[in-house]
Structures are given as C-alpha cells and as structure tokens.
Amino acid sequence: MFFKKKKYNTYSDEDLMKSIQRGKSPAFDELYHRYSSKLYFFFYKMLWQNEAKANDFTQELFLKIIENPKSFDARQRFSTWIYTIANNLCKNEYRKKNNQQKAYDQHQLLQTATTTYTEIDFDKIVFETDLMAALMQLPETHRACFILRYKDELAVKEISKILNCPEGTVKSRLFSATQKLRKNLKKHQESYID
Amino acid sequence: MKNIQELLENKSFEALTEQERNSVLSVVSMSEYKEMYAVLQQSKTAFNQVNARPNPLIKQNLNNQFREKNRSGISLLSWLMIPIPLWMILLSLGILGSLFYYFNANQKTPVPIIQKEIEQVFVYKTDTIYLEKIIPTPKIKKKTRSETKKVLPKKETLRTNPPIAESSIDPSFLMEQALTYYDSSAIQRAQEQSLGQKARTDIPKIEVTVR
C-alpha cells in the first residue's frame, strides 16, 4: 500500500537515468531492456560483425553508465548521449586495429557477400542476410548513419550530434549509402520491385 | 540531395507530385529512384526483424556491478555528500544549545565560600563619658526695698518675719538648666577612636551635671 511499485516502463529514458543516479536497480533493468539489443546490433555491425566484440563493447558501455551515471546531463537526450559514447568506443577500436587486419576482414566480408549472391533466393531472410553483408561494405561513417537512421530510427539532427558532423553531411551520407546498397542488392530489387 | 532523401524515405515514385518528380529526375533516373526506395523499405523491415541480443551473462554481471557499486556508495560517501539546508543546521544547533543550557541550569552550582571579615572594633568599657564642667551660675540680684537694719535678736522671743526679698529668676528656668547636655566634640572624638567602627545607634551619651 505504502510502497507502490513504480512503473519504470512508462518512464522516459532521461527519467530512468535520474533514477539510476539515485541507485534504483529496476530503472537500470528497464534501460538495459530498451537499449541492449540496439547497441549490441550497432556494435556488431560497426565492429566487423564480431560477436565477441559486440558483447564486450555492450557490457563496457553499460558499465560506464553504472560507474558514472552522473556524467549524463539530463538536459540532453539519452539516445544521443549513449550512441555518442558507442560511436567513440568504435572509433577507438578502429584506431587500435591495424590496417592490414582491417583489409583482411573487409576481404573476408566481400567473399561472404559474393558467395551469398551465388545462392540467390528471393526470400526475405536471404535479403536480410544480404543486406547485412552489403552494409559491411559501406564506409564506417556511412554505415553508422544508415544504422542509426533506419535501425534505431534516430532523427538526422540527432545523428549529426552523435557523429559530430553537420546535418547536411548526414543526409549526403545517407543518400550515398542508399545508392551503394541499391547497387549491391540489385538482384534482389528486380524481384522485389515486381 | 536533401529533398530526395526525404522523399525516398516517405514516398514511392508514383506518389510524387509533378514538381517532386522533376526534382528527383534531375538527380537520378526513375528506375534508380524506385530501386532505392525499395531498398530503404526492405531495409527497414529487415532491421525490425533482426533479433540480435547480447549474451545473457552480461546482464547478470551488470546487475552484480550495479548492486556492488550502490551498496558501497550508501555506506561511505553518499551519507557524507547529502546536502543539508542551512535552516536545519541552525535549528539543530539551537536545540543542542538549549539542551546544554537546561542541563547546566539544573545542576547545583557550588556555593561560594564567603569569609566573614571580622573587623576589629575597639569598644570602650564605658560608653558614657562624664565630663565635669563648671558652669558659672548667673548672679542673683536681690532687690531690697530698704536698707537692712541691724537688728539684734531678742533673747526672749525669736519670731519669724515674712520674706523681705524675692528672686527675679523663674524657678522653672533653673530647672531646665539642670538638664543633660551633649558635647558634640566629645562624640566626634569617640568616633575617631573607634577606628572604622560602623556608625552606632547608641551614640555615647554625655551627661553633664551641674553642681
């Protein structure tokens, strides 16, 4: 009666962060539920579809929230803040990774994408696989823009803040990414458009 | 560019207005637009179907970390970091002060030992000083009607004659003269000799007797 259970699922992300700052464990659970999959997918795609790295980075990111929740300024949007950290983590990882290894990974991915195209099946599942492979062929900046816009459904303005670039650049990258994907998924399009 | 990306996200080629079509066709062909539109729509659907989840152990680890962090925080720093309003501090100081005063007032205060100063007083054994003074009595003039004659008393009979003179002084005056006089100089002397003795109500009485 006196201790009415709070419904954290009705809270905004920013309010959840305020509760986390006060040490409310259920608020953290709710926030993890909302963002863990999105962030995991973001890391997975941005870090060469490496599952282990995606798990490590997801954990590292949420640990940052636990360790220093007051670094979040409630005046800004939580999604912008969390994706900015995620993007910075990826950038650091790119720096660590040497170019040779990166080139090898890219080559491997291209191989995977090509082999997939040989077994063309106009099924949605196959398209999904191809789309993921095609995404990996995009430059990192374009890929990040595309995922944040169409997977995480963030506004262009917000993406520009996360990636620290003008809105025009974001739109340009999105258009460029869409054109490249169209080229890579051309065989799918013929059936899909029909 | 700006317009095309927005149109790609929202409108198929058929849904475009004449003006929008012209704008689009100046950048890409109709087929390209249709393909790009299809890619975007398909991508959105594909992204929604993605069910990528991190390892469940991560959640467990994070929960442990969260509990650990908040437990240690409560015990040490968080108590010290609680902001306290100024009025609360002042109120608590006031309460403490009044309690302190209350308990101190109830305690028996040690009675200060007052030593009675004993004054040395020199007291005369006789507090009444008798001074003998000779006060000259006024001469009494006797009025006579006539010169007295030398009368030789007769041997046979001695008879008493009526008084031949009277005193001019009122007898009551004479009585008043016999009353006690106070000698002020004698009193002063006595006081000086008493050396700090407090003024006494029993001022030495000096009686003067007239003899």
Side-chain angles (χ1 to χ4, degrees):
Chain A
M1 282 294 181
F2 294 106
F3 301 100
K4 194 179 177 182
K5 199 177 179 181
K6 288 182 179 177
K7 290 180 179 175
Y8 285 106
N9 55 359
T10 59
Y11 279 36
S12 69
D13 298 341
E14 291 75 27
D15 289 339
L16 284 175
M17 272 308 288
K18 282 179 190 171
S19 299
I20 290 168
Q21 285 169 355
R22 290 195 294 268
K24 305 287 180 190
S25 176
F28 178 75
D29 291 343
E30 177 61 29
L31 201 75
Y32 185 84
H33 175 71
R34 285 184 198 179
Y35 280 93
S36 59
S37 297
K38 288 179 182 178
L39 287 165
Y40 174 78
F41 182 80
F42 180 80
F43 284 127
Y44 181 71
K45 283 291 150 197
M46 297 305 291
L47 300 172
W48 316 287
Q49 301 196 107
N50 187 327
E51 212 171 303
K53 274 193 188 302
N55 274 319
D56 287 350
F57 276 69
T58 307
Q59 177 162 302
E60 192 180 334
L61 184 54
F62 279 99
L63 266 175
K64 281 180 188 293
I65 295 173
I66 292 169
E67 292 298 327
N68 196 10
K70 289 186 179 175
S71 62
F72 170 68
D73 182 3
R75 287 172 295 183
Q76 64 174 318
R77 287 196 69 177
F78 174 76
S79 54
T80 310
W81 180 70
I82 196 80
Y83 277 109
T84 306
I85 299 171
N87 190 50
N88 289 337
L89 286 172
C90 290
K91 277 183 186 173
N92 292 341
E93 188 60 21
Y94 298 153
R95 283 192 205 106
K96 282 182 195 170
K97 193 100 176 173
N98 62 52
N99 292 330
Q100 197 178 0
Q101 182 66 36
K102 196 175 170 183
Y104 174 77
D105 288 347
Q106 290 288 355
H107 177 73
Q108 286 293 99
L109 284 163
L110 277 170
Q111 288 291 319
T112 316
T114 325
T115 46
T116 316
Y117 283 131
T118 53
E119 306 155 4
I120 293 170
D121 185 1
F122 299 106
D123 192 63
K124 283 183 181 179
I125 298 166
V126 178
F127 176 84
E128 190 183 310
T129 315
D130 290 347
L131 172 67
M132 297 308 159
L135 269 176
M136 293 312 296
Q137 293 175 47
L138 295 174
E140 283 148 6
T141 49
H142 290 62
R143 198 188 315 153
C145 280
F146 197 84
I147 292 169
L148 291 172
R149 180 76 187 110
Y150 301 114
K151 170 75 171 78
D152 300 326
E153 297 175 336
L154 300 180
V156 172
K157 193 178 177 180
E158 211 171 339
I159 297 168
S160 74
K161 282 182 185 172
I162 292 165
L163 301 176
N164 196 24
C165 62
E167 285 181 43
T169 309
V170 174
K171 285 173 187 172
S172 155
R173 284 176 186 172
L174 283 172
F175 183 77
S176 177
T178 314
Q179 267 195 327
K180 282 179 182 172
L181 286 175
R182 179 191 67 85
K183 283 176 191 169
N184 287 337
L185 300 169
K186 197 166 174 85
K187 288 187 179 179
H188 287 287
Q189 303 311 312
E190 287 165 1
S191 61
Y192 186 70
I193 293 164
D194 296 336
Chain B
M1 285 290 190
K2 176 190 170 186
N3 288 331
I4 292 174
Q5 192 59 32
E6 281 177 10
L7 291 170
L8 275 170
E9 288 175 9
N10 302 309
K11 288 183 176 181
S12 65
F13 190 79
E14 288 73 27
L16 295 173
T17 62
E18 195 66 31
Q19 198 182 350
E20 287 169 342
R21 275 187 193 185
N22 291 334
S23 172
V24 165
L25 290 173
S26 66
V27 182
V28 287
S29 67
M30 185 184 75
S31 61
E32 278 178 348
Y33 182 89
K34 282 183 177 176
E35 284 170 6
M36 286 166 80
Y37 176 77
V39 164
L40 282 185
Q41 299 309 312
Q42 193 72 345
S43 299
K44 284 179 188 175
T45 316
F47 280 141
N48 286 335
Q49 286 168 353
V50 169
N51 192 19
R53 288 194 182 281
N55 193 326
L57 285 173
I58 291 174
K59 179 75 175 67
Q60 212 173 329
N61 286 342
L62 290 169
N63 276 344
N64 291 339
Q65 289 281 346
F66 191 90
R67 243 177 274 125
E68 188 69 26
K69 199 247 174 186
N70 286 292
R71 188 173 55 212
S72 60
I74 288 166
S75 60
L76 294 166
L77 277 175
S78 63
W79 280 102
L80 296 172
M81 298 296 282
I82 292 171
I84 303 168
L86 182 65
W87 68 266
M88 248 185 216
I89 296 165
L90 294 174
L91 183 72
S92 52
L93 282 174
I95 291 166
L96 279 175
S98 53
L99 282 173
F100 182 76
Y101 177 78
Y102 175 77
F103 284 113
N104 266 12
N106 278 1
Q107 277 180 355
K108 284 183 180 175
T109 48
V111 181
I113 299 162
I114 300 167
Q115 287 185 338
K116 285 184 180 177
E117 289 181 8
I118 301 165
E119 295 175 351
Q120 272 194 330
V121 180
F122 297 96
V123 183
Y124 286 99
K125 289 179 181 175
T126 52
D127 55 352
T128 307
I129 301 165
Y130 295 94
L131 290 175
E132 288 186 355
K133 276 189 178 182
I134 300 164
I135 300 167
T137 51
K139 287 180 178 176
I140 300 164
K141 288 181 179 177
K142 290 178 182 176
K143 287 179 180 179
T144 52
R145 285 177 187 173
S146 59
E147 286 182 5
T148 51
K149 289 177 181 174
K150 195 175 178 179
V151 180
L152 294 171
K154 294 178 179 174
K155 288 184 182 176
E156 301 95 40
T157 54
L158 279 172
R159 62 178 183 98
T160 56
N161 296 320
I164 56 170
E166 284 181 10
S167 173
S168 63
I169 297 166
D170 190 1
S172 64
F173 173 74
L174 290 172
M175 290 300 288
E176 281 175 9
Q177 287 298 314
L179 289 175
T180 307
Y181 289 93
Y182 292 97
D183 188 351
S184 58
S185 60
I187 294 164
Q188 197 177 353
R189 275 199 305 279
Q191 282 176 348
E192 282 171 1
Q193 285 174 0
S194 68
L195 295 173
Q197 187 178 9
K198 286 178 184 178
R200 292 176 55 175
T201 52
D202 51 346
I203 300 164
K205 205 173 175 182
I206 301 164
E207 288 181 4
V208 178
T209 52
V210 180
R211 291 184 181 173

